């Protein structure tokens, strides 16, 4: 988890906002979240840090997680968001949030806006192939893409293309967040 920086984004002062940067592995969640954190100073949590060891072992072994595997992980993220909500502090979280039911659970933490980073399988696969030091193997991308349920019209959030550079994505998020 990253701690707040001294720089803040004045456009969202006074309103508690929780941004969940979502998408499949390789979509750029961490890059965008770190850019948002640098611009806003909001506390940032990397969802991977909340996985129990058993989930990480499954993923290292190329096994897709089940809903039962994901539930305690999602509950821990929800609780982290709720703690910031109670403290009156905005936050940024990276989380695949692949299914509507997962997003529904996360929404119980506070005023959440989902930012879905979307891209085609070839681009995502290329990114994963060039990545090192992460426990999520490229072989699980297909499973994530099959599991992914797009944001529905009644969900608070929006979709951005990973074809845009990270700085542009960060600008777009900050422009579209409720102020």
């Amino acid at each position: 988890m990253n701690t707040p920086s001294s720089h803040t984004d004045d456009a969202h002062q006074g309103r508690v906002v929780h941004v969940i940067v979502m998408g499949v592995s390789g979509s750029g969640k961490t890059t965008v979240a770190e850019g948002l954190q640098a611009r806003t100073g909001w506390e940032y949590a990397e969802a991977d840090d909340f996985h129990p060891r058993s989930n990480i072992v499954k993923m290292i072994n190329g096994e897709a997680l089940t809903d039962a595997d994901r539930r305690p992980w999602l509950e821990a993220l929800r609780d982290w968001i709720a703690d910031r909500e109670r403290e009156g502090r905005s936050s940024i979280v990276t989380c695949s949030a692949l299914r509507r039911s997962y997003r529904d659970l996360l929404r119980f933490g506070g005023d959440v806006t989902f930012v879905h980073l979307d891209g085609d399988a070839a681009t995502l696969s290329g990114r994963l192939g060039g990545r090192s030091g992460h426990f999520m193997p490229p072989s699980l991308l297909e499973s994530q893409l099959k599991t992914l349920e797009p944001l529905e019209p009644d969900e608070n959030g929006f979709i951005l293309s990973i074809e845009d550079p990270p700085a542009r994505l960060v600008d777009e998020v900050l422009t579209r967040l409720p102020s």
Side-chain angles (χ1 to χ4, degrees):
M1 282 171 270
N2 295 331
T3 55
S5 72
S6 59
H7 177 71
T8 59
D9 179 66
D10 293 347
H12 301 96
Q13 291 290 330
R15 173 152 190 212
V16 177
V17 178
H18 305 286
V19 178
I20 298 180
V21 183
M22 63 169 281
V24 299
S25 191
S27 60
K29 296 182 297 287
T30 299
T31 301
V32 171
E34 288 174 348
L36 288 168
Q37 199 274 332
R39 291 271 302 275
T40 63
W42 299 342
E43 192 168 359
Y44 156 52
E46 178 71 48
D48 289 344
D49 295 341
F50 290 76
H51 273 297
R53 182 75 189 143
S54 58
N55 284 5
I56 294 170
V57 169
K58 281 183 96 167
M59 288 184 279
I60 287 170
N61 291 326
E63 296 177 51
L65 298 179
T66 66
D67 286 351
D69 293 327
R70 287 184 177 102
R71 183 141 188 110
W73 169 66
L74 292 164
E75 288 171 342
L77 286 168
R78 176 206 57 209
D79 294 347
W80 187 90
I81 294 166
D83 287 346
R84 270 90 210 138
E85 179 76 14
R86 277 190 295 281
E87 296 164 356
R89 295 176 19 208
S90 294
S91 68
I92 304 156
V93 175
T94 59
C95 179
S96 54
L98 299 174
R99 292 188 191 275
R100 168 74 187 244
S101 61
Y102 306 164
R103 297 187 298 269
D104 288 344
L105 180 63
L106 293 169
R107 261 190 282 283
F108 282 109
D111 182 8
V112 171
T113 299
F114 291 95
V115 177
H116 177 189
L117 301 180
D118 188 40
D120 64 75
T123 301
L124 293 161
S125 182
R127 287 180 173 192
L128 289 176
R131 183 163 82 170
S132 63
H134 194 277
F135 57 80
M136 177 76 171
S139 62
L140 288 178
L141 177 61
E142 184 177 337
S143 170
Q144 282 197 324
L145 290 169
K146 285 180 184 176
T147 303
L148 178 64
E149 297 172 356
L151 287 172
E152 295 181 26
D154 66 325
E155 292 186 88
N156 187 26
F158 47 90
I159 300 169
L160 298 177
S161 171
I162 64 170
E163 297 302 321
D164 286 331
R168 184 175 299 150
L169 293 171
V170 169
D171 287 343
E172 184 70 17
V173 171
L174 293 174
T175 299
R176 295 178 71 172
L177 281 178
S179 49

